[in-house]
Amino acid sequence: MRVSVVGTGYVGLVTGACLAEAGHAVVCVDASPERVAMVNAGQAPFHEPGLPEMLAGVKLTATLDLADAVQNSDLTLIAVGTPFDGSQIDLSYVETVAAQIGGALKDKDGYHVVVVKSTVVPGTTEKVVLPLLEKHSGKQAGADFGVGMNPEFLSEGTAVHDARFPDRVVIGGIDARTLGALAALYSSWQDTPVLMTGVAAAEMMKYVSNAFQATLISFSNEMANLASTIGGVDIVDVERGLHASGLLKDAPVTSFLKAGCGFGGSCFPKDLAALASFGKTQGVPMALTESVLDINRAQPLKLVSLLGNVTGKRVAVLGLAFKPGTDDIRESPAFPVIAALKERGADIVAFDPVARVDTVTMAETLESALDGADAIVLVTSWPQFAEVPTLVANRVPQPLVADGRRFWDPGSFTHYRAIGLS
Ligand code: UGA
């Protein structure tokens, strides 16, 4: 199939490359000349493990010319950003692109399918995208073109693997012809369950999936905070009981039951905020979703409070990325941690193997970050931080360590404190 993908972010580019690998003729569209040039040169415009190798192995072209890409393809995936504007989801990129695709369809002969891959609140595809396509093409959805929704479940850092081996593919369509085109797009994924559904249900599945995972994280954090007040209780130990239960044994969701300093990234915080705001516009109180966000906002401060008085102390903050394996710092708990440490008068030095910022003193190496540190705070569980116990083993006096990811063994340091450990 000839496929055009609009947006070369994590979702668009990884999906595009994966579909090209599956044998489709894929062209990626982006408004940034730099991104287009990089993709055409086979380079990844952002850090994602395995993506450069994947791009090197596929035939993928990129263009600034959306109309040309749409007119010379059979199906278009919309994979542009849907940020949260502070009170609700910002659909302006999706709207602009839908209008442009509509304009391109005006001059295209033959049937075409337009599919929303961006995360959008339920109703957006049918109530916002479809009317824009009809308006700008002068054509009729259902008769002249199909409209579908195909949410993306890949995670940053493992995006290439997730796209190659999805645990499920969700496709929603306004009619059987659209669903047929989407089923054909994913026909190479023989062993993957393909869930066919309505467009709004597909949109909602994405939110429900992210809200569920984020809820498990905040649940774990609330229980961890309680455990830490009891004396002689470690949340890691307590959760062993949960993991061994019939309820959760072998379930993949257990990877979201790890207590820590909270979730970040470009998805969970914005998607839960958009979901809560959407619920309210529907007249539904979203108390649980809002509590998940409240607990998450407070969690970085729990980590800082483990250090006690830090005035004038040198504190090494380990990790800026919102999780290991990525240079993405969006909504990372590292920033509320750093802000709280600054407010308490700490002398901060940060280290991340990949991510960089200029708002805090950055150490070039892990060793130099640890050098002279009175305290160490772990925000991101990069595998390289496993060396820290060895690196500070002979230090006198021993630093105070606050582990925000339950990454180290509690016996690895003389002064060890952690989320969920009393
Ligand atoms: C998340 C979802 O996991 C994907 O299924 C989804 O497709 C994606 O959002 C999206 O909407 O595009 P991602 O944001 O890349 O993926 O990262 P996760 O691995 O889910 O981690 C999110 C945050 O939760 C990180 O800050 C991580 O440190 C934190 N986390 C994760 C915890 O605090 N505890 C856990 O047990 C698991």
Side-chain angles (χ1 to χ4, degrees):
M1 195 181 281
R2 297 176 307 161
V3 182
S4 44
V5 183
V6 186
T8 59
Y10 287 93
V11 171
L13 188 54
V14 174
T15 305
C18 206
L19 290 170
E21 214 172 47
H24 297 295
V26 181
V27 56
C28 290
V29 182
D30 205 287
S32 153
E34 293 78 25
R35 281 211 163 205
V36 166
M38 285 189 85
V39 175
N40 279 328
Q43 289 165 6
F46 46 83
H47 176 86
E48 184 61 41
L51 186 57
E53 295 79 1
M54 192 187 207
L55 290 175
V58 295
K59 201 171 159 291
L60 187 75
T61 53
T63 179
L64 290 163
D65 191 342
L66 180 141
D68 184 64
V70 170
Q71 283 157 3
N72 290 294
S73 59
D74 311 303
L75 183 146
T76 302
L77 291 169
I78 300 177
V80 292
T82 49
F84 185 69
D85 73 5
S87 62
Q88 60 180 14
I89 187 170
D90 173 2
L91 291 173
S92 52
Y93 299 114
V94 171
E95 286 167 351
T96 304
V97 162
Q100 290 170 347
I101 296 170
L105 290 180
K106 191 176 188 163
D107 303 320
K108 190 192 170 191
D109 293 328
Y111 185 75
H112 195 88
V113 177
V114 181
V115 178
V116 175
K117 208 172 212 338
S118 308
T119 300
V120 292
V121 293
T124 304
T125 302
E126 277 170 301
K127 291 187 191 148
V128 179
V129 174
L130 186 153
L132 281 169
L133 292 169
E134 286 192 329
K135 180 177 162 198
H136 291 269
S137 66
K139 294 182 174 178
Q140 206 192 337
D144 304 313
F145 61 91
V147 179
M149 163 69 200
N150 167 223
E152 186 49 64
F153 298 106
L154 53 80
S155 295
E156 288 179 30
T158 55
V160 168
H161 178 272
D162 296 347
R164 277 188 182 134
F165 307 103
D167 53 3
R168 80 282 206 202
V169 170
V170 172
I171 56 181
I174 56 163
D175 53 20
R177 195 170 177 191
T178 304
L179 286 169
L182 274 166
L185 184 69
Y186 290 105
S187 58
S188 303
W189 281 266
Q190 296 278 345
D191 302 326
T192 308
V194 176
L195 310 181
M196 289 198 188
T197 181
V199 171
E203 291 169 325
M204 191 161 175
M205 273 187 212
K206 168 69 185 195
Y207 278 103
V208 170
S209 174
N210 277 6
F212 180 54
Q213 291 166 326
T215 301
L216 293 181
I217 297 170
S218 281
F219 167 75
S220 302
N221 287 340
E222 185 168 273
M223 295 305 133
N225 297 341
L226 179 62
S228 66
T229 65
I230 299 168
V233 176
D234 183 344
I235 191 66
V236 172
D237 228 20
V238 173
E239 288 202 337
R240 274 176 47 222
L242 199 61
H243 289 263
S245 77
L247 267 181
L248 289 180
K249 205 159 177 265
D250 302 329
V253 292
T254 53
S255 59
F256 291 91
L257 278 166
K258 206 163 173 236
C261 58
F263 57 77
S266 63
C267 302
F268 287 169
K270 99 168 158 73
D271 289 350
L272 269 82
L275 185 64
S277 146
F278 173 67
K280 277 189 247 154
T281 64
Q282 297 291 106
V284 178
M286 301 294 283
L288 180 58
T289 308
E290 283 177 353
S291 294
V292 169
L293 287 167
D294 289 343
I295 292 167
N296 195 57
R297 270 189 285 270
Q299 206 59 13
L301 303 178
K302 288 271 171 211
L303 178 60
V304 172
S305 69
L306 296 175
L307 293 174
N309 183 1
V310 290
T311 313
K313 301 254 173 70
R314 186 172 170 86
V315 181
V317 176
L318 301 188
L320 294 175
F322 81 99
K323 66 174 188 179
T326 176
D327 62 350
D328 196 341
I329 56 169
R330 283 177 286 178
E331 303 282 334
S332 170
F335 298 101
V337 164
I338 289 169
L341 287 170
K342 265 189 191 157
E343 204 182 285
R344 288 162 173 74
D347 167 22
I348 305 162
V349 59
F351 174 74
D352 189 286
V354 180
R356 290 273 168 280
V357 290
D358 51 19
T359 47
V360 64
T361 308
M362 296 286 310
E364 284 306 314
T365 61
L366 176 58
E367 287 80 353
S368 61
L370 299 175
D371 206 19
D374 301 300
I376 298 167
V377 187
L378 183 131
V379 175
T380 318
S381 47
W382 283 101
Q384 351 346 32
F385 297 155
E387 294 181 64
V388 173
T390 315
L391 292 172
V392 301
N394 300 320
R395 184 80 60 77
V396 181
Q398 279 283 293
L400 173 59
V401 174
D403 184 347
R405 295 291 176 195
R406 300 311 307 264
F407 179 73
W408 292 302
D409 184 73
S412 307
F413 300 95
T414 312
H415 307 298
Y416 177 81
R417 294 180 188 165
I419 297 284
L421 180 69
S422 50

